[in-house]
Amino acid sequence: MSILPLGPLQSQCQDQSNNAISSWAYQWSSPPPWCGSRAIRISRPKGACKRRQAVISQAASVEALPALADGRGSTAIQVLRGARDRANDMQAEAKAMARAANASVYTPELVSNKYRSRPIKVLRRTLEILIGVGSFALKLVLDQSNGQLDQNKRIRAADLRKICTKLGPTFVKIGQGLSTRPDLCPPEYLEELSQLQDALPTFPDAEAFSCIEKELGLPLDSIYSSISPSPIAAASLGQVYKAQLKYSGQVVAVKVQRPGIEEAIGLDFYLLRGLGFLINKYVDIISSDVVALIDEFARRVYQELNYVQEGQNARRFKKLYADKQDVLVPDIFWDYTSGKVLTMEWVDGVKLNEQAAIERQGLKVLDLVNTGIQCSLRQLLEYGYFHADPHPGNLLATPEGKLAFLDFGMMSETPEEARYAIIGHVVHMVNRDYEAMARDYYALDFLSPDVDVSPIVPALRNFFDDALNSTVSELNFKTIVDGLGAVLYQYPFNVPAYYALILRSLTVLEGLALYADPNFKVLAASYPYFAKRLLTDPNPYLRDALIELLFKDGRFRWNRLENLLVQGRKDRDFSAKDALQPVLKLLLAPDGEELRILVIKEAVRVTEAVILGTVIDTYNSIPNPMRTLIVSGNTAGPLMMSDTEQENMIKLRDQVFRIWRLLRSSENFDPALLQPILQVRTNSEFSFLLFYYF
C-alpha cells in the first residue's frame, strides 16, 4: 500500500512503510502528551479506539492480500486512505494548536490591570485619538461654514482614511464598517474607506518572513518553493503573501500577523471600556449595556489574533455551509499554521464591490449578494454559527460564479431559542401581528420576563403601520433597524451582544447590494427563506407561529397561506412534501383538539364556497331568458344572496383552487401527504368535503 507524500512537519509522525497505518492508529487513539486535553475534540465510545486500531492494523498488510485485488479491495483501500488522511489532518491540527498555546485571550480584568498602571501611555493614546478625530471634525465645521462641504468631500474622505490608518487597527475596523454603508456615507467616502479592507500600509517583509520561520520552526525555503517578495494584500491585523508549497506545489495564501498588534488593540479597548462606563452612567437614551457590547467585540477581535482559532472557524464554517454549489470556503493547511501564521488555499476572485470587474466575467453582483444573503440566513437561523465580518475584502466572486468567504477571525453564534424567535418575529412583523411581535422580545432576550409588553404594542403599531404601508418588497433593513431602534430607546430593552453582530452582518450585506442596486431590499430577498422555514419546520415555536398566522378569530386566512406558498417556493431548498406537515401532524396530536375544531369549521365553509361557487358559475352561464324561468322572476338569483356574498364565495373558492394548484405544481408534492386530514372524521360534512375536493 503506497503512502502519499506528507508535509515536512508530519515526517516525524508518519513512516512510509507497510506498518505506518498501525502506527497512526495508535497515535489517533492516544494524543501526544504535549497536546493536552484540547488536542483532539472527538467524543469516542469506550473501546472504539481499540477496535479501530485492530481494523486498521489488519488493513496495513492490504497489499499482501490477493482477496483485495478486486473492486471491493480498491474501495477498501480508498476508505483506509481517506481515514489516514483525516488522521494526518487531525494530528497536524493538534500540532498547530500546540504552537498557538500561548495565544492571548481577552478578559476585562487582564486589560484593566495591564493599563491601569500605565497612566502616561494611556494619556498619550487618548490625546492621539482626540487630536485625530478632533482635527477631522474641525475641518468639517470649517467646510460647512465656508460653504465648501460638497466641494471638499473627496479631500475629507482621504483625510478620514488616513486618520483611521494612523490611529491603528481599532479605527481601521470602524472605517471598514462605514465603507459598506452607502446609506450613511457619500460615494467619495465609500471609495476611500474601502481601501481599508485590504490596502493598508504594510510592515517590512523581513519581519514577516522571520515571523514565519520562528512560528513554524523551519527555514522559509524548506516550506515554499516560491513566495511573493511583497504582500498582495494588507489588512488591519496582518498582511497576506501568495506562495507555493514545496512538498505539494499547492498555491496558498499565507497571512502573517502584524508585530505589536495585541498591544495596540488592548490599549484601545481599555479606553473604549472607560468610555462605555461613562455612557452607561450618564447617557439615558442608550439602555443597552455598552460595556458588555464592547467586551463582546473585544473578545471577537482577540480571537482574530489567534490564527489557529481562525483556521478552526474556517473548517467549521466549511463543514456547515460549503455544501452549496455556489459557496466556496478555502481549506486550511495545518502543517503551516500557528498562532501568528495562517496558510490557506489560494482563491482567485474579485471583491464583491467591484461591479465592473464582476460583470466583465459575465456575472451579476446581485446574484452573488443574494447567494450571500441566503447563506447568511442559514448561518444565523439554522446552525446559529455565522460570519460576523462579511465586508467586501472578505467576499470574493470567483470566475466560476461562486461566492468565496474569506477571513474567519470574527465569528459568532445565535442562541437556539433566538433563531426561531427571529423567524417568528419577521413573520409577525410582515403580517402586522404586533402583540406577537412584542412577545417575541422575551425569547430574543431583549426583555426580562417580568416586563409588561402591552405598552410596547402601540409603539410598534405606530411605526410599522407606516413602514408596512407598501408591500414587503418596499422595506429595507435599515428602515426596520431604525424603527426598532426608536422603540428600544423608549422602553427597558437590553440588546444582546450576539444581536449587535447580526445587525452588523446584515447591514454589511445590504450595503453591498446597494452598490449594484440602490432599490435593493434585503427583507424582500430573504422573506422566501422565512416563509419556507415557517411552512416546513416542526419546531414548536414556529409551528405555533404558523397556526397563529393562518387562523384568526376562528377563521382560516387563505390569503396568508397562499402568500407563504408563493414566497416559500422562491427558496431553492423549498420542499412541497414538507409544507404544512407541522400543522397536519398537530391535527392528530393529543393537544390538537382546538385546531381540529377550527379545521372542521373551515372545511364546511370551503365546501359551501366550492358548491355555491359552481352553482353561481353555472347560473351565470345560462342565457338570460332561461334565467328568468329558473328563478321565477327573482332578481336576487337562485341562491338568495347579495352580490357581495356571491363575490366572497367565488373569491374563497378560487383562492383554495389556486393554493391546490401551487401544491400540485411542485415537483415533489404527493396528495397522499395530506392524509392526516382524512383521519379527522368528526362529522359527515367534513367527510363529504374530503370526498368532493380531493
Side-chain angles (χ1 to χ4, degrees), residues 495-530:
V495 179
Y498 78 85
Y499 189 73
L501 290 173
I502 289 176
L503 293 183
R504 184 178 188 274
S505 178
L506 291 179
T507 52
V508 166
L509 286 170
E510 184 170 63
L512 288 171
L514 293 175
Y515 276 112
D517 182 4
N519 297 316
F520 184 87
K521 304 296 184 292
V522 165
L523 186 59
S526 61
Y527 193 66
Y529 172 87
F530 288 102

Side-chain angles (χ1 to χ4, degrees), residues 195-501:
Q195 297 181 37
L196 297 175
Q197 293 160 7
D198 57 8
L200 292 169
T202 63
F203 60 92
D205 299 309
E207 290 187 32
F209 296 152
S210 175
C211 178
I212 294 173
E213 293 182 334
K214 180 180 177 181
E215 288 288 308
L216 301 183
L218 289 170
L220 206 66
D221 57 4
S222 70
I223 304 174
Y224 312 112
S225 56
S226 65
I227 186 168
S228 57
S230 58
I232 50 92
S236 56
L237 304 184
Q239 58 194 35
V240 180
Y241 296 84
K242 185 176 183 180
Q244 187 175 42
L245 294 178
K246 193 167 187 176
Y247 88 94
S248 66
Q250 176 81 38
V251 178
V252 295
V254 183
K255 184 160 71 169
V256 186
Q257 195 171 110
R258 288 182 179 274
I261 188 71
E262 184 180 332
E263 180 75 16
I265 65 172
L267 179 53
D268 283 346
F269 282 124
Y270 174 74
L271 294 174
L272 287 173
R273 289 191 90 248
L275 179 62
F277 280 117
L278 293 176
I279 293 174
N280 283 347
K281 186 174 182 179
Y282 297 109
V283 183
D284 295 333
I285 197 173
I286 299 179
S287 58
S288 299
D289 187 344
V290 176
V291 174
L293 294 175
I294 292 171
D295 285 340
E296 177 68 15
F297 181 64
R299 275 190 287 270
R300 303 299 176 187
V301 174
Y302 266 73
Q303 285 181 7
E304 287 191 76
L305 296 181
N306 183 351
Y307 285 174
V308 171
Q309 178 65 56
E310 180 176 343
Q312 292 173 326
N313 293 343
R315 279 291 180 87
R316 181 180 177 189
F317 191 90
K318 184 181 183 74
K319 181 179 179 181
L320 292 177
Y321 309 115
D323 59 328
K324 299 299 180 183
Q325 61 180 6
D326 46 11
V327 173
L328 186 146
V329 179
D331 205 3
I332 303 298
F333 294 83
W334 292 116
D335 282 328
Y336 311 105
T337 294
S338 71
K340 296 182 179 180
V341 176
L342 176 65
T343 302
M344 64 168 53
E345 178 185 358
W346 178 265
V347 177
D348 287 311
V350 179
K351 288 195 298 183
L352 219 56
N353 61 347
E354 297 180 0
Q355 184 174 356
I358 291 175
E359 291 179 348
R360 281 197 297 269
Q361 296 182 2
L363 306 174
K364 294 182 179 179
V365 174
L366 285 182
D367 290 343
L368 292 160
V369 170
N370 196 52
T371 296
I373 290 171
Q374 300 305 319
C375 184
S376 293
L377 290 171
R378 292 180 64 206
Q379 294 173 43
L380 297 172
L381 303 175
E382 288 186 25
Y383 301 105
Y385 186 68
F386 66 94
H387 196 299
D389 193 24
H391 64 70
N394 295 337
L395 295 172
L396 299 181
T398 70
E400 300 78 23
K402 293 186 177 183
L403 180 66
F405 283 81
L406 307 176
D407 196 343
F408 300 91
M410 186 173 289
M411 311 294 290
S412 189
E413 298 193 49
T414 313
E416 183 175 10
E417 186 178 8
R419 298 176 216 164
Y420 299 111
I422 291 171
I423 297 173
H425 195 65
V426 171
V427 174
H428 292 150
M429 178 190 66
V430 171
N431 292 285
R432 308 189 189 211
D433 191 346
Y434 303 120
E435 291 81 4
M437 277 185 73
R439 292 193 299 272
D440 290 334
Y441 295 127
Y442 294 133
L444 288 168
D445 202 25
F446 280 25
L447 295 171
S448 60
D450 58 338
V451 175
D452 180 17
V453 297
S454 55
I456 300 172
V457 174
L460 292 172
R461 180 177 290 109
N462 289 339
F463 171 74
F464 283 107
D465 272 348
D466 290 334
L468 298 169
N469 200 31
S470 302
T471 62
V472 174
S473 61
E474 296 301 318
L475 286 172
N476 66 30
F477 189 71
K478 183 178 182 298
T479 300
I480 298 168
V481 172
D482 289 347
L484 285 176
V487 175
L488 298 183
Y489 291 145
Q490 301 176 40
Y491 298 95
F493 281 85
N494 181 45
V495 179
Y498 78 85
Y499 189 73
L501 290 173

Side-chain angles (χ1 to χ4, degrees), residues 28 30-44 89-105 302-303 305-313 334 338-339:
W28 189 10
S30 178
W34 43 262
C35 292
S37 60
R38 297 167 54 204
I40 299 179
R41 298 177 180 175
I42 291 185
S43 176
R44 296 186 291 272
D89 189 69
M90 290 169 63
Q91 288 181 346
E93 181 182 356
K95 290 184 178 182
M97 291 174 63
R99 288 192 288 271
N102 295 324
S104 298
V105 177
Y302 266 73
Q303 285 181 7
L305 296 181
N306 183 351
Y307 285 174
V308 171
Q309 178 65 56
E310 180 176 343
Q312 292 173 326
N313 293 343
W334 292 116
S338 71

